[in-house]
Amino acid sequence: MTELDRRPGAPPANGPGTTNLADILERVLDKGIVIAGDIKIDLLDIELLTIRLRLFVSSVETARKAGIDWWETDPALSSRAMDSELRAENRELRDRVAALESADGNGNGNGNGSTHSARSKDTAGT
């Protein structure tokens, strides 16, 4: 039978072996971790404010496996998403101009006798 070290500040004898921060971080990113919490502020039994916090920490691969990929479609985070959003907005504006020109009756949207195609190719490549 071995004698246990019972000094204050001594590591527990039956605790895990040496685990460094890199090992812990690798496990968290590999498996993912969810942290959830609610903050409620009440005054005299009247709810004034509720804040719900949800945090999902994982690697990109683990997040994709969980069906999370919002960073790929957020224009603030992805240049491809921003380009796609600009193309969609451009297409919508061209459709609106075409509708206005056709509602004009003679296809003349500028009033000076010359017509411009609302479907002409733009410089963004749509």
Side-chain angles (χ1 to χ4, degrees), residues 90 94 116-123 126:
N90 195 343
R94 289 182 182 281
H116 291 79
S117 173
R119 299 270 180 202
S120 65
K121 190 165 180 95
D122 66 344
T123 58
T126 57

Side-chain angles (χ1 to χ4, degrees), residues 28 32-38 52-57:
V28 166
I33 185 170
V34 175
I35 300 170
D38 295 333
R52 306 188 101 196
L53 302 172
R54 305 294 180 258
L55 178 65
F56 179 63
V57 179

Side-chain angles (χ1 to χ4, degrees), residues 102-114:
S102 66
D104 187 21
N106 60 0
N108 187 355
N110 57 11
N112 65 4
S114 66

Side-chain angles (χ1 to χ4, degrees), residues 42-95:
D42 294 343
L43 180 65
L44 300 173
D45 293 330
I46 299 172
E47 185 176 321
L48 298 176
L49 179 67
T50 300
I51 300 172
R52 306 188 101 196
L53 302 172
R54 305 294 180 258
L55 178 65
F56 179 63
V57 179
S58 73
S59 68
V60 171
E61 295 155 359
T62 304
R64 282 192 180 129
K65 288 178 188 174
I68 301 170
D69 62 355
W70 53 265
W71 62 88
E72 293 177 352
T73 57
D74 188 343
L77 299 173
S78 170
S79 60
R80 278 186 278 151
M82 185 169 45
D83 191 34
S84 175
E85 185 176 279
L86 288 174
R87 281 193 187 117
E89 183 180 4
N90 195 343
R91 193 172 24 254
E92 179 185 331
L93 289 173
R94 289 182 182 281
D95 290 343

Side-chain angles (χ1 to χ4, degrees), residues 5-12:
D5 189 359
R6 302 207 184 252
R7 288 178 288 157

